[in-house]
Amino acid sequence: MNLNIIKVSYGNVINKIAEKVYLHTNLDFTRPTQIYALINTRCNSKCRMCDSWREVNPEEVPAKDWIRFLMYLKKYNANYNINFSGGEPLLKQDFLEILEYCHNENIPAGFTTNGLLLNKRIVDKLLRLNLFNINISLDSMNEEVHDGIRGVKGMLNVVKNNVSYLAEERIRIKNRTPIIIKPMVCNENLNDLENIVVYAKDKKFTGVNFQPINKWSKESEEMFKMDLDQLDIVIEKLVNMKKSGYPIMNSETQILDWKLHFRQIIPERNNNCVVALRNLTIKSNGDIVLCGFRKSKIGNIKNDDIKNIWSSEQTKKLRIALVNCKKLCTATCVVSRSWKDYIDLFRKLTING
């Protein structure tokens, strides 16, 4: 059993109780529990929907600053987990140093990669670090579709070879690191989503975690447009596959909510957004924000103490506004989970992880 999953689950349960207390009494015992770190913007793919790879001389925070921040964060909340993304994290020269620190300090850490750099040498190092997860951005089993989205010809074949070695080596050494395929859901790959799930099951990956595209660029606006009748058909198929035991990590509610997401329908919501009560997003320049969809900077990891900024008056005022936000976004409506969903996810991660 992956002990990181136990630790993170415990931390999430404690914080969910604190969230309920806050929403009913305004007493704040919450702590940053889920940390999303955009560790760099440099990338070796040229994804149509992303501007990261277009940046010139982007700023990156050195490992020593990340490590200092993670150390202070652990003192404030020992049960947090962190997921690194980019850009391509494996392009950051000192990224493995940060992962090594997390391993040594028992901080559950995972990362998302496009898979191009998951060669044998890197995989062998990663599997020794007891990572919380390794997420692979794989959008289609069709070479033309996947490479067209990611902007690198021949990319799918390289990634499939790399993740095959990762999966086989993980089984050979009896490693428990969850391997998760993270496809984007967009017009281009809509009719190939089922094939990705079948591929993940055949390779004995932990699961597939779909992420619906958002309209954050001109290209992504085009990729957002799709045949909505076909979308509904695909949604029904995926829900049935999940019920049949295929390793889909999204809840049924999340998948069904794609109908609203891609029709840009904001549903009536009686619930509050709790992102500001548990999440931190850290940008490549070190800026700390409560919400990735609104202006919500509260500090910077290079010079701010997390305990002070989490409890500051500025953060308290911002938290009130964010808790009452009704915007439809992938951080709230589309990714909401019930207690049953959390239990099912815990079971999937502990059994298949």
Side-chain angles (χ1 to χ4, degrees), residues 14-15 18-19 21-22 25-31 277 310:
I14 295 300
N15 207 67
E19 291 166 12
V21 171
Y22 177 88
T25 69
N26 289 326
L27 294 175
D28 194 352
F29 302 106
T30 63
R31 294 289 186 273
L277 302 178
W310 185 262

Side-chain angles (χ1 to χ4, degrees), residues 23 54 61 96 103 111 116 160 168 179 182 187 205 210 222 235 267 269 318 328 334 341:
L23 294 174
R54 297 181 173 97
V61 177
L96 291 183
H103 170 67
F111 73 101
L116 277 174
K160 286 172 64 177
E168 292 163 5
I179 300 174
K182 293 190 75 170
N187 176 60
F205 295 146
F210 292 106
E222 291 302 314
I235 286 173
R269 289 176 53 195
L318 186 57
L328 177 66
V334 181
D341 294 330

Side-chain angles (χ1 to χ4, degrees), residues 265-329:
I265 297 173
I266 301 177
E268 292 185 11
R269 289 176 53 195
N270 297 318
N271 60 311
N272 296 100
C273 177
V274 294
V275 167
L277 302 178
R278 66 185 183 201
N279 289 14
L280 288 180
T281 295
I282 306 171
K283 298 184 178 182
S284 60
N285 64 357
D287 284 347
I288 306 170
V289 300
L290 289 178
C291 173
F293 292 87
R294 293 181 55 174
K295 291 183 178 179
S296 56
K297 178 182 173 180
I298 59 175
N300 189 287
I301 68 170
K302 291 180 289 188
N303 45 39
D304 289 313
D305 179 86
I306 183 59
K307 180 179 180 180
N308 292 336
I309 62 175
W310 185 262
S311 57
S312 71
E313 289 302 316
Q314 173 197 356
T315 301
K316 288 178 180 178
K317 291 178 181 179
L318 186 57
R319 186 172 290 127
I320 291 172
L322 292 173
V323 161
N324 291 291
C325 177
K326 300 299 182 182
K327 181 178 179 180
L328 177 66
C329 68

Side-chain angles (χ1 to χ4, degrees), residues 13 35 43 63 72 83 91 94 99 110 126 135 138 140 144 152 186 206 238 253 264 272 275 283 285 296 352:
V13 168
I35 316 301
C43 198
Y72 284 121
N83 187 276
L91 280 176
D94 52 10
L99 292 183
L126 293 173
N135 303 280
L138 196 156
S140 176
E144 183 178 354
V152 178
C186 62
T206 307
L238 291 177
T253 301
Q264 300 182 76
N272 296 100
V275 167
K283 298 184 178 182
N285 64 357
S296 56
N352 299 328

